[in-house]
Amino acid sequence: MLTDLTLTGFAAELASDSPAPGGGSVAAAAGGMAAGLVAMVCKLSIGKAGLEERASVLQDALLGVEELRAGLMVAVDRDTDAYLGVVAAFRMPKETDDEKAARAAQIQVAIRTAADVPLATAESCLRVLQLAETVAAGFNTNAASDLGVALNMAAAGVAGGVLNVEINVPSLKDQDARDELVGRAGEISTLTAGIMERVWPAVRDLVRGS
């Protein structure tokens, strides 16, 4: 499993001449690390003097990001597995009409999976951002830089997930499926942009002492 590798080992896998792991796995990893940072900020804030009234909210956010972190780390391997599924489908035999039909059907199934997995990654990264916004309303500002990095990493995870949806959509023959995927990816991108516009400048100003 990719998640069993060291960071150095994972980076080396990315740098190889193999197309997988690729951007989808990196997007999931980015989201997982963002969730980890938000969890750290929560832990550094819970119990801090002056934040007593925020304890329950921060605890709920902590539980949420820990669940998201676990799921996103699983998605690191799921994304690569989805790509390999597409490769396997294209390698199916195509000598007879039955083989051609089976191959064509499996290609469509595999491509849909290869779009669904990064869409789920983008959804999870958006949820990390939403919880980060909740945390930003009142937290230990000594960890402002960590929360800022979390915001940007989660936003990168959204962008990476959406890109990997968009690259697979044109290969789907089902127009309803294409519309569904593109529509939801667009919604996620819009929601992400809104959170970053609201939260990122404030967190950045905290870091700069503005």
Side-chain angles (χ1 to χ4, degrees):
M1 294 177 63
L2 295 170
T3 50
D4 289 335
L5 297 173
T6 63
L7 281 173
T8 300
F10 182 57
E13 285 292 320
L14 292 172
S16 74
D17 59 2
S18 171
S25 291
V26 170
M33 288 186 284
L37 280 171
V38 177
M40 182 186 76
V41 173
C42 288
K43 291 174 181 178
L44 291 173
S45 303
I46 294 170
K48 183 174 175 60
L51 294 172
E52 292 85 358
E53 293 183 359
R54 295 278 296 161
S56 178
V57 172
L58 291 167
Q59 186 63 45
D60 287 345
L62 174 59
L63 292 174
V65 291
E66 288 287 44
E67 182 177 350
L68 288 162
R69 179 171 63 88
L72 282 161
M73 297 317 293
V74 170
V76 172
D77 280 289
R78 283 191 67 213
D79 195 273
T80 293
D81 291 343
Y83 172 80
L84 294 176
V86 174
V87 172
F90 273 99
R91 289 177 177 171
M92 289 174 66
K94 51 182 178 177
E95 296 300 319
T96 68
D97 288 344
D98 285 347
E99 287 177 344
K100 290 177 182 178
R103 176 178 178 271
Q106 186 56 39
I107 287 172
Q108 289 300 300
V109 170
I111 291 172
R112 180 59 196 256
T113 300
D116 282 340
V117 170
L119 182 64
T121 290
E123 293 265 18
S124 293
C125 290
L126 170 60
R127 184 60 184 143
V128 172
L129 278 170
Q130 290 168 333
L131 291 171
E133 181 174 22
T134 297
V135 172
F139 69 104
N140 181 350
T141 56
N142 290 325
S145 60
D146 301 296
L147 188 59
V149 172
L151 287 166
N152 283 280
M153 290 290 283
V158 169
V162 167
L163 282 172
N164 278 273
V165 173
E166 292 173 339
I167 200 168
N168 283 293
V169 162
S171 299
L172 286 171
K173 298 185 183 300
D174 184 338
Q175 186 62 49
D176 288 341
R178 293 169 66 167
D179 292 344
E180 175 191 348
L181 289 162
V182 170
R184 184 52 188 155
E187 290 172 356
I188 293 168
S189 296
T190 298
L191 290 168
T192 295
I195 292 172
M196 291 301 287
E197 287 173 7
R198 290 192 301 272
V199 185
W200 166 236
V203 173
R204 182 186 56 206
D205 287 347
L206 280 173
V207 173
R208 294 175 176 176
S210 301

